Amino acid sequence: MANYNSFGRSVRRTKNAFVDFMSTKGKQNLIVVGALVVLVAVFGILNSNFLSTDTIVSMTQSLAPYAVMALGVTFVIATGGIDLSIGTVCIASAVIAGKLYMEGMPLWATIPVMISIGTLFGFINGLLVAKLKLPAFIATLGTMMLSRGLSAIIAAIPNIFFFSRPEDDGVWFKQLFSNANGVPTGLFWVIGLALICMYLMYKSKIGRYILSIGSNEEATRLSGINTDKYKVIAYTIGGMAAGIAAIFWAASFPTVAAATGNGMELDTIAGVYIGGTSAAGGVASIAGSVIGNIMLVVIRSGLNFVLAKFDLNLNSTYVTFVLTGIIVVVAVLMDVLKNKNAAKVKIETPKAAAKRARKQALADKETEIDNVIASKDLTQDEKNAKISAIEAEIKAL
């Protein structure tokens, strides 16, 4: 008889859960990862310099702020909403904190300032959408324009320069949030923040309620959940992420132009859609949001190398727009078709019903084995006998 132990059973359960996830929710993520691998391989073959260490570090520096914004806006999109202000809020947070730095504020103090500004704008967005019932598109379009204009007024100069004071070259800031002697530290922050967001989205009450709102807001409200509260939380998380993204932006690109940021939100949101988060709400993929933005960064950087090598008279930025637009349309179309198929009434064939029943019976028997192993009322011999009997039933299925 096989040696049943807690670790082995945990591995089996994890494997089964992974298989179930991939068969139901993970297909788009798998497609995106596959497409990303193909893109990297193609760009690497066309221009070997694409896979150099310097290029990878440069792409990571570009990725960090977009990926962090994507993590935050995923919570917003999961409610069925949208946040068009994240790009300008990110830049406004960096500009205002940079202005204070240029006037004498310690560099370390710019970190809480940027986070606070982003969080404030996110909270305002949440109030406008949840309490004042403004359409998310209109509310966040307004705060996008507000943050852009406000940063220009406060800065009063075209550009903000971080690390411009002779007594503070900002080496520790760059190394902590961007690049430490060739090590892309920003990537480690992205991974850590992604793990936190995964916990919030999938394991906490906040995430469950946010996804429930996106699936059916009225049913969620009638079940006694304060939907307005969790909408405000979702937008606040999105704004906070924009403020955190400003830290990585300042570390990688110390010269920050006031009254900019338009367009950053479109790239970020496109990556979220590509990663598998449903535009209709109710379905969110934290890992997919990061992977989707990695794909866009790879496309932007790879096209520069390819067009330069073959001396093509094309602007890589515009070509990127074309490819991104096509990819986003395909990603959203996949989501629409998936939702449409899920809504169809399916007639189960006898063969499919028998297969489902057998799968459920096997799962029940495996659970019985888990319960026997965990039992404290049985001796080891009794456990072995019961497990052998259950194994025989499994073979008979």
Side-chain angles (χ1 to χ4, degrees), residues 330-393:
V330 171
V332 175
L333 180 60
M334 288 174 60
D335 179 56
V336 170
L337 294 176
K338 180 175 64 177
N339 293 336
K340 187 179 293 185
N341 289 332
K344 287 181 179 178
V345 177
K346 298 180 180 178
I347 300 175
E348 192 173 38
T349 64
K351 183 178 179 181
K355 183 178 180 181
R356 178 178 54 79
R358 183 178 182 277
K359 183 178 179 181
Q360 183 60 49
L362 286 172
D364 292 340
K365 294 300 178 184
E366 294 283 1
T367 301
E368 286 185 41
I369 293 177
D370 288 337
N371 293 335
V372 170
I373 294 172
S375 175
K376 296 181 180 179
D377 299 328
L378 300 174
T379 65
Q380 188 60 46
D381 289 339
E382 289 173 329
K383 288 182 180 181
N384 291 341
K386 283 184 174 290
I387 291 173
S388 295
I390 297 170
E391 284 181 326
E393 294 176 9

Side-chain angles (χ1 to χ4, degrees), residues 159-190:
N159 294 312
I160 294 295
F161 301 97
F162 280 84
F163 326 131
S164 58
R165 298 208 304 259
E167 72 277 10
D168 190 354
D169 58 8
V171 171
W172 69 268
F173 193 90
K174 299 173 190 174
Q175 291 181 339
L176 183 60
F177 296 111
S178 180
N179 174 14
N181 300 319
V183 178
T185 50
L187 181 61
F188 300 118
W189 282 99
V190 170

